[in-house]
Amino acid sequence: MRIAHVDPRTIDRQTGPAPTSVGDRYGSKHLREDEIAILSAIPLPEGLDLGRI
């Protein structure tokens, strides 16, 4: 996601790390519709095998 220049807030909501600032601890903990659209548009890495998931 960093390679695709996804906003750090969106990355945090997707991966679920602990908030790093007081401001990050407030507000919605869920992805917004625009963030979901951004994540769904990122191409998967070449050679990624999702067959066993």
Side-chain angles (χ1 to χ4, degrees), residues 30-49:
H30 304 285
L31 290 168
R32 299 182 314 244
E33 286 186 36
D34 61 319
E35 293 171 320
I36 293 170
I38 290 168
L39 293 173
S40 65
I42 298 173
L44 295 175
E46 180 132 355
L48 178 65
D49 180 6

